Structures are given as C-alpha cells and as structure tokens.
Amino acid sequence: SLPVDKHAGDKVYAGTLNQQGLLKCKAQGIGATTMLAGIIRLVREAQGTKAPIQRLADQVAGMFVPVVVVISALTFAGWWAYSGDLAPALVNAVAVLVIACPCALGLATPTAIMVGTGRGAQVGVLVKNAVDLEQAEQIRTLILDKTRTLTEGKPVVTDVIPADGISN
C-alpha cells in the first residue's frame, strides 16, 4: 500500500509513519478501546460460541451418557451374578464407563474451536464466530487484495490505467 497524506484533524493509527515535519497526535483510544483490544475481544467471543456440530455433539452426548451408565450397571449386575464376587463386577463396570466415556465427544469440539481460533489469530486470521469457522471448511477459493484484506466482499473497480500504447 502507498503512503497516504494526513492533514490536521485526520485520524492516524498504530504503525503510522511520519515522513516529514512535526507530528502531534492525541490518543483517542486506550486500553479496552484500542484496535488490539477489539481484536482480542473478537477472538475470545469466537472461542466462546458454539458451532452447529458442537450442538449435535452435545445432543449425542446427552443420549449417550445415560445409555453408557445403564450398560455399566448391567455389566456390574451380570458379573456379580456370574462370579458372585464384588471386585471383578466393579472393575468391569468401571471399565465400561472409562472406555465408553463421552468426555472426548463433549470436549473435542470446543477444544478444536479454541485451538483453531487462537492459532488463526496468531497468524493474522480472525474468525467472527464458531459458525463461520465451521462454514470455512466449504471455501474452495479465497481472493484477497494486495493488503490481504477483505473489506466488503464485493470487489469494485476504482481506476482504469491503460498500459503504454493502449488508449482509453
């Protein structure tokens, strides 16, 4: 991007270069009102949202947990009836609970969202929310301008500069 001349009263942002003369600036945003604070807030909000797949995982876990508890109880009763010994019945019932634990199902999706949005923020990709992150999987082509930004998502021709030897 090319340098842009600024005049008295114009806004300047972090990273502005003074190319000549005196530059007197007044801070308009500090702390929570800065652009960086806004970016951090955006990342936190994205990490806190639920993706549709997470809602599905929560529904499945809601049905899965009672089923696993019932199977574990049946395992306990079956082993106790079979062996007449409490220890193997309890060990096998706990084994069913541990092996079929839905914790991975319930924790994997929010963990993936937190890691994905956090890693994206580290490399300069900000995600608005988990729904957008999930839908990003469907993107096949992404076109960015030379500053690697998307502003409106609607490219507009602002200038036509013909090459040497070509007329308008």
Side-chain angles (χ1 to χ4, degrees):
S1 57
L2 298 173
V4 176
D5 288 331
K6 296 289 182 172
H7 305 286
D10 289 349
K11 285 187 176 185
V12 294
Y13 299 94
T16 297
L17 298 176
N18 183 11
Q19 294 186 321
Q20 59 185 0
L22 176 66
L23 181 64
K24 183 177 177 183
C25 300
K26 178 180 175 184
Q28 296 289 322
I30 58 170
T33 61
T34 63
M35 180 74 76
L36 178 60
I39 291 170
I40 292 169
R41 190 170 38 257
L42 180 67
V43 171
R44 284 189 182 145
E45 288 171 5
Q47 289 177 335
T49 59
K50 276 193 174 188
I53 191 70
Q54 187 174 350
R55 287 187 187 92
L56 176 63
D58 290 346
Q59 288 176 344
V60 170
M63 293 180 290
F64 189 67
V65 170
V67 170
V68 169
V69 170
V70 167
I71 292 171
S72 178
L74 291 173
T75 301
F76 176 78
W79 273 96
W80 196 6
Y82 172 75
S83 68
D85 192 3
L86 181 65
L90 192 58
V91 167
N92 287 315
V94 170
V96 168
L97 288 175
V98 170
I99 292 170
C101 179
C103 296
L105 182 65
L107 295 175
T109 304
T111 302
I113 290 169
M114 289 195 68
V115 170
T117 54
R119 180 66 184 122
Q122 286 177 342
V123 296
V125 176
L126 298 178
V127 179
K128 190 173 183 179
N129 56 46
V131 174
D132 294 337
L133 180 64
E134 186 176 323
Q135 290 176 347
E137 182 270 332
Q138 299 170 1
I139 295 173
R140 294 292 171 253
T141 304
L142 180 64
I143 300 173
L144 305 171
D145 68 9
K146 68 180 180 177
T147 61
R148 300 183 322 215
T149 59
L150 290 174
T151 50
E152 294 179 29
K154 300 174 189 162
V156 176
V157 176
T158 58
D159 296 311
V160 176
I161 303 171
D164 292 335
I166 308 267
S167 64
N168 291 352

